[in-house]
Amino acid sequence: MLNFDYLNNLNDKQKEAVTYLNGPLLIVAGAGSGKTKVLTSRISHIILSGKASTNEILAVTFTNKAANEMLSRVLSNLKKKKFGMPWIGTFHSICVKILRKHARAVELNYNFTIVDQDDQKKLLKNICKSEKIDTKKISPNYILSVIEKWKNKGWYPENVKLKKSDKLEQAFLKIYKIYQTKLLDLNACDFNDLILHCIKIFEQNPDITKMYSKNFKYILVDEYQDTNFIQSKWLNLLSLENKNICCVGDDDQSIYSWRGAEIKNFLEFDKIYENTKVIRLEKNYRSTQNILSTASSLISNNENRVGKTLFTDGENGELVYMDSYRNGKDEAVGVGDKIEKLKKNFNLNNISILVRAIFQTREFEERFLKIGLPYRIIGGTKFYERAEIKDCVAYLRIVNQPKDDLSLERIINVPKRSIGETTIKAIYDYAKNNGYSLEVGAKKMIELNLIKPKPKLGLNSILNLLSRWRSELKNNMSHVKLLQIILDDSGYSQKLKDKKDLENENRLENIKELLNAMKEFDNLESFLEHVALATSLDQDWQSEKVNLMTMHASKGLEFDIVFLPGWEEGLFPHQKSIEEKGESGLEEERRLAYVGITRAKKIAKISFSMNRFYQGDWMDSMASRFVDELPEEYIKKNNSFVDESNQDFDFNQDIDFEDEVRSPGWIRYQKKLK
């Protein structure tokens, strides 16, 4: 007697999605609608119905964690402890299996090596060196991102389409050709090659394509909205024979175009696969109705979407809160205040702050450190522990304290000054043996001609700069201005500007945020003391912590309470996204807002500031256009929206906001000081 108990726990639409087994199926699964349950129940149903064996089912995910979770749930449904499903895995893990078997078809041996990102960078650096390309001006990371973009489009070097006028990409194409040749010489490939080579094998060997396509009676794909062009093509080739492909996802949560994801794969699914059945999972098991109605109303402003309306059988819940603040600092204070009150009834682990850009966490971190509110950064590093921030602080410390050997060791060759590890060790040993600081030891070794010419030149450069910066400090230069000069004189800021990639752009934003933070301190000593306390503070005394992360990092997560600060034009939607992608960029930003709101189970609090330090300058802010798109009937605004006195507020006046705060956290902080 077959056991279909898992069907009893499904709603009507979920059950329909599980039991429809004839032809292409697109499951439009809204946030919190139980898509994983549907996907795993469908696999179980295929097996128990005798439609396919475990070897005839291909189930593709984006992460190993998701693949393991899928297998675990299938085992639970089938009431089995062990069960072999060889074709459950990520795109890459499945492609590795195929490629090992048919490696010779793409001039590889079966025992080929998969190079990681570090190896890719090393290989590209060597190629750039041989081609006399300055990696100080063009980052290998940037070149790698361009090559990945081409591979995601299914382009080998001979297929790349370029404008003849684009000389930079012409140079990159030459590197790409050499890069691919080198990989073949090494009997190696990178992660993007795994799918690219499989496509080549399938296109050049129809018999191989037919073998796999015939074998996979059912294909299931999770998070289909995140697929890129080549992944979609790969799935299409594998489904040629049986046509039983089921893709699950949510076009309203497509937020990874910067990784190559193409939403049109989802929107045009019915054009790619004839006779497609579309099933919408609209019943939400996560959030209150007011949260869902707010999110649904917002996302309805997007034109490019399949369309759905989320609902719940649960309670309406609280209205979505909308707060306005005078500036970013005031916003951090206000959020901290609210968390102090909420933590009486909610575990801190169930409270999250979702920001558009990672630099925004700084003001919240500062505030939480001050009042003793424990926090963690999800998917990132705490502000004062980020590499570029530690570099800046090290520069300031060695200028302020010439005996700070650790700081000098950190920045002595940052940016590169031809001072290698061997030279640094020699200076360190000499200084230690003679009782000198590292800086004095370096000076003595230069005087005694104990340093080789090339590193000697670099050492003289940094030592002269340190002397100049100390003179500026003695002449009462502000600590903010001093750091700006240090970054310019050392070449540090230029290094970040020259290497054009997302990582370096984020680093520059973080440094600008650091300069903003420094303005809150009277002098360099007080700022450095603050940093020392912030980085040494042990926050593990309490297991509960508030979660800080970007909205991108929050996808797939859920929390009782979600704060969404910084809803201002230029910041969110992000100006760069609109400038580069126009309307499609705006729609993706709106989808990101939708993702942010739908992370909340019980309470969502959106806020914006009327004045914010952004990109190195104070700016009068306008509320995000998304604020205007939120439905009035589901929003509760704070008093500042209707208080006309705010219109006369002078953004330039110097106000000590701390004096106005009387939250529990503030009281606790004051007691610490006494």
Side-chain angles (χ1 to χ4, degrees), residues 83-114:
F83 201 67
M85 291 202 68
W87 299 104
I88 283 186
T90 64
F91 281 97
H92 292 120
S93 68
I94 300 294
C95 283
V96 167
K97 284 186 180 182
I98 296 171
L99 196 53
R100 292 275 182 217
K101 194 170 180 178
H102 309 283
R104 294 303 303 162
V106 285
E107 300 175 61
L108 290 169
N109 295 320
Y110 77 94
N111 62 341
F112 61 83
T113 302
I114 304 169

Side-chain angles (χ1 to χ4, degrees), residues 557-587:
L557 304 177
E558 58 182 45
F559 306 92
D560 285 342
I561 302 162
V562 169
F563 288 87
L564 297 153
W567 280 42
E568 298 134 31
E569 279 297 304
L571 180 55
F572 190 49
H574 204 283
Q575 189 63 31
K576 185 181 176 184
S577 184
I578 296 173
E579 286 175 355
E580 290 182 354
K581 302 174 189 173
E583 190 62 30
S584 68
L586 175 60
E587 290 206 347

Side-chain angles (χ1 to χ4, degrees), residues 514-539:
L514 177 67
L515 290 165
N516 180 33
M518 292 173 67
K519 293 179 180 179
E520 298 178 19
F521 298 87
D522 294 332
N523 50 53
L524 181 58
E525 286 79 8
S526 61
F527 170 69
L528 291 176
E529 184 179 308
H530 167 75
V531 174
L533 290 170
T535 52
S536 65
L537 188 65
D538 182 10
Q539 294 188 73

Side-chain angles (χ1 to χ4, degrees), residues 461-475:
S461 170
I462 185 61
L463 292 173
N464 289 334
L465 286 171
L466 287 171
S467 178
R468 187 194 311 169
W469 296 331
R470 285 171 187 144
S471 296
E472 299 284 13
L473 189 61
K474 284 179 183 177
N475 292 330

